[in-house]
C-alpha cells in the first residue's frame, strides 16, 4: 500500500493536526497573564519620549539653521560697526542668552550682547578651518554652572586696511573697507538656554539629560511634582548610558518600569535626541529625553490557564473520537472490502489454494457505501458459483453515507472552533482598554498637533525674514533670494510674489495649485481652497516698504506679498507617527486636509464617531477648545473594531490659531499590547487553526476516498445487476483503485461464464499480479 495514498494518510494527518492545535491552545492561552502595568503603557511611554526627543532635535536643528542663514544673508551689508553687525545677525525668537562676534585669527571678541558667552574649551581657530563643514552646536556650562547651547556660524566681511584693522581691534571701529577689498571670515557664536522637552498628558514629567546623566532641564504638566523620587535617582544616568550605546546598535529608545510606591507604578520612557544616522546638528550633543509618569496598577486579572487546559482537553477528546469514528466506519471497512475483492479476484484466476475462497461469503458492513459494495460483492460471488442470476439493485431509501459522516465530523470540529473564533474571551473595549492608554493616545495626538504648529510657525518666521530681504531688492536679487529660500525649505512647493492687484510678479518652484485672489495684509497661514483634488495651503508675509531702492523700476513693487505654498506631502509626514494609528489633519468644517493614510481632499472623517469626538474639542467662539479622547466601539471606529481615538486643536496661539484646524488620531484597540486582546487574538487563532485543519484534512479525505468510493459503489451494484458491458478502469492506486481492479477481473470472469453456456464457474482468466495483502499493481 503506498504511504501517501488511500484512506489512512488523511485520518492520521487530521489526528496529528488537531493534537498540535490542542497543544498550541494549552501553551498559547495558558501563557497569557494579566500585568499590573500593561506592555501597551510602556510602549506608549517610549513613543511619547520619542516624540519629545524628535521635537527637541527639530528645534535645535531649526535654531542652528536660522543662525547660519542669518549669517549668510545680505543683512550684514547694511551695517559696518561690530555692535550693529552683531545685532543684525542675532536671530529673533530664540531663548534668552547672548551672542559674540569673534575674530578667529586673534580670538578676540569684536562685539558682544546679552549674557557672557561661555567659550571655555572652544577652539575658535579649529572651528573655522576651510575644510570644515557647518559647525555643529555644542553643549557647555556657563560661569554659574548652568547648561548653555552654543550655535556657530561663519560671517564673511570685507577685510579692512591695515591701519583701519588696528583701529577696529583697539577701538571697535568700522569693519568695512574700500571697494575691491578681500573678504575675511568672522565667527558668530550664539548662546542659548537649554529648553526642556515639551510633554503632554496630566501627571507626566519630561527631563533633558546629557551623556553623563545630568538633568539639564525639566518640564512638567498639570499636577506633577518636579522632584524625582529617591528610588529613581540613577534612572537618568541609566537611560543616558542606554541611549549612548543605542547609537551604535540602532536602539535609540526604550522604557523602564519602576517599583511600586503609594499604590502607583512609575513608567519611564527614554529616547536619544540624536538621529540614528548621525547626520543632523544634534548628533554630537549626547542628549537624551526622559518622560516619567506614575500610573495606577491594573487590578489582578483572571488566570487563563484553566480555560486553556479545558479547551485543549476538549479538542483532544474530539480529535480521538473523530479519528475512531473514521477509522471504524471508513478505514477498517474499506480495507476489508479491498481484501474481500482481492480474494474473489484470486479465486476466479484459478490460483491454486485460493479457489476454495470463492465459497466463503463476503462480510457486509452495516453503514453506507461500504455496506452496499459488500452486498454487491456477495451477489457477484453467488453468481460466479451459479447459485443465482443477476440481481437488479432494489431502490432503497436514501440513507446517510460516508459523505454525511465526513460532514458530521466537520460540524463536530466546528462546534469547538466557532465559539473560540467568534464568542469566547471577548472583552468590551471600555473595560479592556485602561484609562491610562486612552490618555496616552490623547497626549501623543497633542504632540502631533504641536509638531504641525511648530513647523507652520517656522515657515511663517522664515518667510517673514525672506520678505525683509526682498525689501527694495531688484527683481534679479529677489529671484535669487527666493531660490535660496525654496532650496532651504523642502516643505515649500512654490514661492511667488503678489503685487497689490493679486498678479504674480516673481515665482520659483512649481506652478501654484491655486493662487490668492488678492495680496493679504500682514503675515500668517491661510487655506487657499475649500474644494478640489489637492488642498492648497499657503504662508504669506508682507514685504516691508524700502526706504530707498537702487533702481525703482526694477525693484519689487511696494505693498507686495511673498507667498509660500506648503506641499500636502510635508503635512502628511508631519502627522504620521509610529504607533499612533491613522492620523488626520482637518479644517474647521472637519474635512481632511492631510493624513497618514490614503484620503481624498476635503473628504469628511471616515466615521461618525470621529466627527463627534472632534465636535467635543470645540469651545465658545473666540476660543480654541481643548483636546478630547474616547474609546470608539465597533461599527463607529475605523476598521470595524474598537479603537482608541483622540482629537486636539492645532494651536492656541500663533499664525494658525484662527484656522480652526484639528489633529485626529485613531488606533485599533487590538493593536495595543493588552492581555485581553492578546488572549482574544490567540483564542481566535486557535479556533481558526482547528477549523482550517479540520476542513483541509476532511476535504482531502473526501477527494481521495469518499468520491472514488461512491463511484465504486455504483459500478459494483451495476455489475451485480447484470451490466457486463461497462469496462472498469482503476484510476487511483489505493484501496478504491484495488477494489475497482478486482471488480474488472470479476466482470471478465462473469463474461467468460456466460459464454460457457451458464455453467457454474469455468474460466481461464490470466492471473493478475498481486502483492501479498496489498492491492493489484497498475
Amino acid at each position: 500500500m503506498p504511504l501517501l495514498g488511500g484512506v489512512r494518510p488523511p485520518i492520521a494527518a487530521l489526528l496529528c493536526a488537531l493534537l498540535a492545535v490542542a497543544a498550541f491552545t494549552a501553551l498559547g492561552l495558558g501563557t497569557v497573564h494579566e500585568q499590573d502595568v500593561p506592555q501597551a503603557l510602556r510602549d506608549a511611554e517610549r513613543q511619547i519620549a520619542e516624540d519629545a526627543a524628535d521635537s527637541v532635535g527639530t528645534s535645535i536643528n531649526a535654531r542652528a539653521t536660522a543662525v547660519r542663514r542669518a549669517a549668510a544673508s545680505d543683512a550684514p551689508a547694511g551695517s559696518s560697526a561690530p555692535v550693529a553687525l552683531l545685532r543684525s545677525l542675532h536671530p529673533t525668537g530664540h531663548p534668552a542668552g547672548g551672542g559674540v562676534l569673534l575674530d578667529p585669527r586673534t580670538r578676540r571678541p569684536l562685539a558682544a550682547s546679552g549674557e557672557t558667552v561661555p567659550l571655555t574649551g572652544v577652539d575658535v581657530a579649529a572651528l573655522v578651518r576651510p575644510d570644515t563643514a557647518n559647525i555643529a552646536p555644542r553643549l557647555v556650562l556657563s560661569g554659574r554652572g548652568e547648561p548653555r547651547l552654543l550655535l556657530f556660524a561663519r560671517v564673511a566681511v570685507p577685510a579692512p586696511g591695515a591701519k583701519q584693522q588696528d583701529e577696529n581691534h583697539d577701538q571697535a571701529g568700522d569693519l568695512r573697507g574700500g571697494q575691491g577689498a578681500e573678504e575675511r571670515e568672522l565667527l558668530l557664536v550664539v548662546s542659548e538656554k537649554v529648553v526642556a522637552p515639551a510633554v503632554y498628558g496630566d501627571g507626566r514629567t519630561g527631563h533633558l539629560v546629557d551623556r553623563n546623566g545630568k538633568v539639564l532641564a525639566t518640564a512638567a504638566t498639570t499636577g506633577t511634582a518636579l522632584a524625582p523620587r529617591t528610588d529613581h535617582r540613577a534612572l537618568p544616568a541609566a537611560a543616558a548610558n542606554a541611549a549612548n550605546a543605542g547609537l551604535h546598535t540602532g536602539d535609540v529608545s526604550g522604557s523602564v518600569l519602576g517599583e511600586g510606591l503609594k499604590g502607583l507604578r512609575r513608567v519611564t520612557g527614554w529616547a536619544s535626541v540624536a538621529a540614528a544616522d548621525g547626520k543632523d546638528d544634534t548628533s554630537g550633543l549626547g542628549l537624551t529625553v526622559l518622560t516619567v509618569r506614575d500610573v495606577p496598577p491594573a487590578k489582578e486579572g483572571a488566570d487563563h490557564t484553566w480555560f486553556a487546559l479545558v479547551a485543549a482537553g476538549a479538542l483532544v477528546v474530539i480529535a480521538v473520537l473523530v479519528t475512531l469514528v473514521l477509522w471504524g466506519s471508513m478505514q477498517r471497512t474499506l480495507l476489508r472490502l479491498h481484501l474481500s475483492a482481492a480474494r474473489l479476484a484470486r479465486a476466479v484466476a484459478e490460483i491454486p489454494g485460493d479457489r476454495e475462497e470463492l465459497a466463503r461469503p463476503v462480510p457486509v458492513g452495516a453503514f453506507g457505501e461500504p455496506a452496499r459494495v459488500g452486498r454487491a460483492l456477495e451477489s457477484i460471488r453467488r453468481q460466479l458459483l451459479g447459485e443465482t442470476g443477476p440481481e437488479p439493485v432494489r431502490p432503497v431509501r436514501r440513507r446517510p453515507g460516508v459523505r454525511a459522516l465526513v460532514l458530521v465530523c466537520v460540524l463536530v470540529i466546528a462546534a469547538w472552533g466557532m465559539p473560540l473564533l467568534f464568542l469566547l474571551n471577548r472583552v468590551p473595549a471600555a473595560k479592556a482598554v485602561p484609562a491610562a492608554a486612552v490618555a496616552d493616545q490623547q497626549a501623543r495626538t497633542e504632540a502631533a498637533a504641536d509638531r504641525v504648529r511648530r513647523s507652520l510657525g517656522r515657515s511663517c518666521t522664515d518667510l517673514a525674514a525672506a520678505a525683509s530681504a526682498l525689501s527694495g531688492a531688484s527683481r534679479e536679487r529677489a529671484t535669487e533670494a527666493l531660490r535660496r529660500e525654496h532650496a532651504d525649505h523642502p516643505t515649500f512647493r512654490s514661492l511667488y510674489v503678489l503685487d497689490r492687484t493679486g498678479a504674480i510678479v516673481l515665482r520659483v518652484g512649481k506652478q501654484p495649485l491655486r493662487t490668492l485672489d488678492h495680496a493679504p495684509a500682514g503675515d500668517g497661514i491661510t487655506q487657499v481652497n475649500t474644494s478640489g483634488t489637492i488642498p492648497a495651503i499657503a504662508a504669506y508675509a508682507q514685504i516691508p516698504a524700502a526706504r530707498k531702492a537702487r533702481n525703482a523700476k526694477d525693484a519689487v513693487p511696494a505693498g507686495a506679498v511673498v507667498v509660500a505654498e506648503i506641499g500636502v506631502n510635508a503635512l502628511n509626514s508631519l502627522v504620521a507617527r509610529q504607533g499612533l494609528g491613522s492620523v488626520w489633519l482637518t479644517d474647521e468644517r472637519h474635512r481632511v486636509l492631510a493624513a497618514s493614510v490614503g484620503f481624498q481632499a476635503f473628504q469628511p472623517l471616515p466615521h461618525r464617531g470621529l466627527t463627534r469626538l472632534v465636535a467635543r474639542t470645540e469651545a465658545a467662539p473666540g476660543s480654541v477648545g481643548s483636546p478630547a479622547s474616547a474609546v470608539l466601539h465597533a461599527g463607529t471606529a475605523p476598521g470595524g473594531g474598537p479603537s482608541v481615538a483622540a482629537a486636539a486643536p492645532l494651536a492656541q496661539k500663533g499664525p494658525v490659531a484662527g484656522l480652526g484646524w484639528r489633529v485626529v488620531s485613531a488606533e485599533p484597540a487590538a493593536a495595543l499590547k493588552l492581555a485581553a486582546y492578546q488572549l482574544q487574538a490567540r483564542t481566535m487563532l486557535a479556533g481558526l487553526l482547528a477549523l482550517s485543519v479540520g476542513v483541509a484534512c476532511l476535504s482531502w479525505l473526501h477527494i481521495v476516498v469518499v468520491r472514488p468510493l461512491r463511484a465504486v459503489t455504483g459500478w459494483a451494484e451495476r455489475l451485480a445487476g447484470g451490466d457486463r458491458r461497462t469496462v472498469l478502469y482503476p484510476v487511483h492506486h489505493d484501496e478504491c483503485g484495488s477494489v475497482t481492479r478486482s471488480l474488472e477481473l470479476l466482470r471478465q470472469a462473469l463474461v467468460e461464464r456466460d459464454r460457457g453456456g451458464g455453467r457454474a464457474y469455468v474460466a481461464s482468466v490470466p492471473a493478475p499480479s498481486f502483492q501479498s495483502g496489498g492491492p493489484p499493481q497498475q
Side-chain angles (χ1 to χ4, degrees):
M1 187 67 59
L3 295 178
L4 297 180
V7 68
R8 286 177 286 191
I11 297 177
L14 177 63
L15 176 62
C16 295
L18 290 180
L19 292 179
V21 174
F24 167 78
T25 303
L27 296 177
L29 302 184
T31 54
V32 176
H33 301 290
E34 300 284 350
Q35 299 175 330
D36 56 351
V37 178
Q39 184 64 38
L41 298 185
R42 286 178 273 179
D43 290 346
E45 199 64 36
R46 172 182 57 82
Q47 292 163 350
I48 289 173
E50 291 176 354
D51 293 342
D54 179 74
S55 177
V56 171
T58 302
S59 178
I60 294 176
N61 291 332
R63 298 202 301 269
T65 302
V67 171
R68 288 194 290 263
R69 291 181 60 202
S73 66
D74 295 334
S79 303
S80 57
V83 176
L85 178 62
L86 178 61
R87 188 182 303 114
S88 65
L89 291 175
H90 193 81
T92 59
H94 282 219
V100 63
L101 196 63
L102 299 174
D103 187 341
R105 293 179 298 179
T106 62
R107 303 184 182 181
R108 296 180 58 184
L110 302 179
S113 64
E115 68 177 17
T116 303
V117 177
L119 296 174
T120 305
V122 177
D123 189 352
V124 177
L127 292 179
V128 295
R129 287 200 305 263
D131 57 342
T132 58
N134 291 331
I135 307 172
R138 293 195 177 188
L139 195 63
V140 298
L141 295 178
S142 66
R144 299 179 180 179
E146 298 177 349
R148 289 293 183 266
L149 186 67
L150 299 185
L151 308 177
F152 305 92
R154 299 182 180 89
V155 182
V157 297
K163 183 177 180 180
Q164 181 107 20
Q165 185 176 4
D166 293 337
E167 293 178 359
N168 287 340
H169 292 320
D170 297 336
Q171 305 175 8
D174 194 351
L175 290 173
R176 305 280 173 186
Q179 297 293 332
E182 295 183 357
E183 288 188 348
R184 63 173 178 143
E185 272 194 349
L186 303 180
L187 181 64
L188 172 65
V189 184
V190 177
S191 173
E192 297 183 352
K193 292 183 178 180
V194 177
V195 180
V199 292
Y200 298 90
D202 293 341
R204 179 170 284 109
T205 304
H207 304 280
L208 185 65
V209 302
D210 61 10
R211 56 168 48 93
N212 299 319
K214 180 181 178 181
V215 178
L216 305 178
T218 301
T221 56
T222 305
T224 305
L226 293 180
R229 293 204 309 234
T230 56
D231 58 342
H232 287 277
R233 287 178 178 176
L235 197 56
N241 293 335
N244 294 331
L247 291 178
H248 304 285
T249 62
D251 186 14
V252 295
S253 63
S255 62
V256 179
L257 183 62
E259 299 294 334
L261 183 65
K262 296 181 181 181
L264 299 175
R265 295 291 299 273
R266 172 155 291 186
V267 183
T268 301
W270 62 270
S272 175
V273 174
D277 55 6
K279 294 182 179 180
D280 63 356
D281 288 326
T282 63
S283 57
L285 296 177
L287 298 176
T288 304
V289 170
L290 273 71
T291 59
V292 182
R293 186 188 183 196
D294 294 331
V295 298
K299 297 181 180 180
E300 185 177 355
D303 189 5
H304 308 292
T305 305
W306 178 248
F307 173 82
L309 294 178
V310 171
L315 185 58
V316 170
V317 172
I318 290 175
V320 173
L321 289 179
V322 169
T323 302
L324 289 177
V325 169
L326 294 177
W327 175 81
S329 59
M330 292 187 63
Q331 178 176 321
R332 185 179 178 186
T333 56
L334 191 56
L335 291 176
R336 188 163 53 187
L337 285 178
H338 149 66
L339 295 177
S340 298
R343 174 171 59 84
L344 296 180
R346 288 195 300 270
V348 300
E350 297 184 352
I351 298 178
D354 289 333
R355 298 182 61 179
E356 61 273 12
E357 293 291 338
L358 194 61
R360 196 172 75 185
V362 175
V364 178
F367 176 78
E369 286 81 357
R372 293 166 59 187
V373 175
R375 288 192 292 267
L377 286 176
E378 175 61 17
S379 175
I380 294 172
R381 184 191 70 83
R382 294 176 61 190
Q383 293 178 36
L384 289 172
L385 293 176
E387 297 178 359
T388 182
E391 300 179 358
V393 180
R394 298 178 181 179
V396 295
R397 293 179 301 172
R398 282 188 170 272
R399 295 181 178 179
V402 291
R403 185 165 59 180
L405 178 64
V406 171
L407 180 60
V408 169
C409 292
V410 172
L411 294 178
V412 170
I413 297 174
W416 185 91
M418 295 295 285
L420 269 69
L421 188 58
F422 296 106
L423 298 177
L424 297 180
N425 290 332
R426 297 299 188 273
V427 181
K431 297 181 179 180
V433 180
V438 181
D440 290 342
Q441 183 75 13
Q442 178 176 315
R444 297 201 64 202
T445 305
E446 292 182 69
D450 181 70
R451 186 165 50 252
V452 177
R453 179 189 65 82
R454 289 174 181 268
S455 177
L456 295 178
R458 284 193 298 269
S459 298
C460 286
T461 302
D462 294 342
L463 195 63
S468 299
L470 297 181
S471 177
S474 64
R475 292 177 180 267
E476 182 179 355
R477 291 182 58 194
T479 303
E480 184 62 28
L482 290 179
R483 288 198 181 98
R484 290 197 304 266
E485 191 74 15
H486 184 265
D488 292 339
H489 289 79
T491 59
F492 290 168
R493 184 180 179 274
S494 175
L495 272 170
Y496 56 93
V497 176
L498 294 178
D499 60 13
R500 291 180 177 178
T501 64
I504 298 178
V505 295
L506 290 175
R507 180 180 65 85
V508 296
K510 299 181 179 179
Q511 181 70 28
L513 298 172
R514 185 171 180 179
T515 59
L516 296 175
D517 297 333
H518 62 281
D523 305 339
I525 298 282
T526 184
Q527 182 178 331
V528 182
N529 61 344
T530 57
S531 62
T533 58
I534 301 178
I537 301 167
Y540 60 90
Q542 191 83 25
I543 299 177
R547 295 182 179 180
K548 183 178 180 180
R550 296 180 181 178
N551 189 350
K553 296 182 180 180
D554 191 44
V556 176
V561 175
V562 59
V563 182
E565 187 176 76
I566 300 174
V568 178
N569 291 335
L571 297 178
N572 295 341
S573 61
L574 285 175
V575 299
R577 294 298 292 179
Q578 182 180 5
L580 194 55
S582 302
V583 189
W584 301 270
L585 175 64
T586 63
D587 61 9
E588 59 181 355
R589 299 182 183 178
H590 307 164
R591 298 180 303 179
V592 179
L593 300 176
S596 63
V597 293
F599 71 100
Q600 292 181 354
F602 306 106
Q603 72 175 29
L605 288 169
H607 300 276
R608 293 182 179 179
L610 294 174
T611 304
R612 289 194 292 267
L613 181 63
V614 174
R616 289 170 50 187
T617 66
E618 297 177 352
S623 61
V624 178
S626 58
S629 58
V631 177
L632 303 182
H633 299 282
T636 62
S643 291
V644 182
L650 190 62
Q652 297 181 355
K653 57 183 180 179
V656 295
L659 295 177
W661 290 357
R662 301 287 191 274
V663 173
V664 188
S665 68
E667 172 76 347
L672 302 176
K673 293 182 180 179
L674 299 173
Y677 286 105
Q678 290 180 350
L679 179 65
Q680 174 181 318
R682 296 186 184 184
T683 302
M684 295 177 63
L685 180 59
L688 182 61
L689 288 176
L691 289 174
S692 300
V693 300
V695 171
C697 294
L698 292 176
S699 298
W700 180 13
L701 184 67
H702 182 271
I703 292 173
V704 301
V705 176
V706 174
R707 284 199 311 189
L709 180 59
R710 289 170 61 86
V712 169
T713 302
W715 294 335
E717 289 179 341
R718 287 195 296 270
L719 180 59
D723 184 3
R724 307 290 191 260
R725 301 177 62 87
T726 303
V727 179
L728 306 181
Y729 297 97
V731 178
H732 304 282
H733 196 58
D734 53 13
E735 295 87 351
C736 292
S738 173
V739 173
T740 304
R741 193 179 188 88
S742 299
L743 287 175
E744 172 60 19
L745 295 178
L746 295 177
R747 185 194 69 82
Q748 295 178 15
L750 289 173
V751 171
E752 291 296 329
R753 191 207 63 167
D754 293 342
R755 288 177 181 175
R759 292 181 298 108
Y761 168 63
V762 180
S764 59
V765 182
S769 174
F770 287 98
Q771 294 179 351
S772 178
Q777 304 295 314
Q778 294 196 96

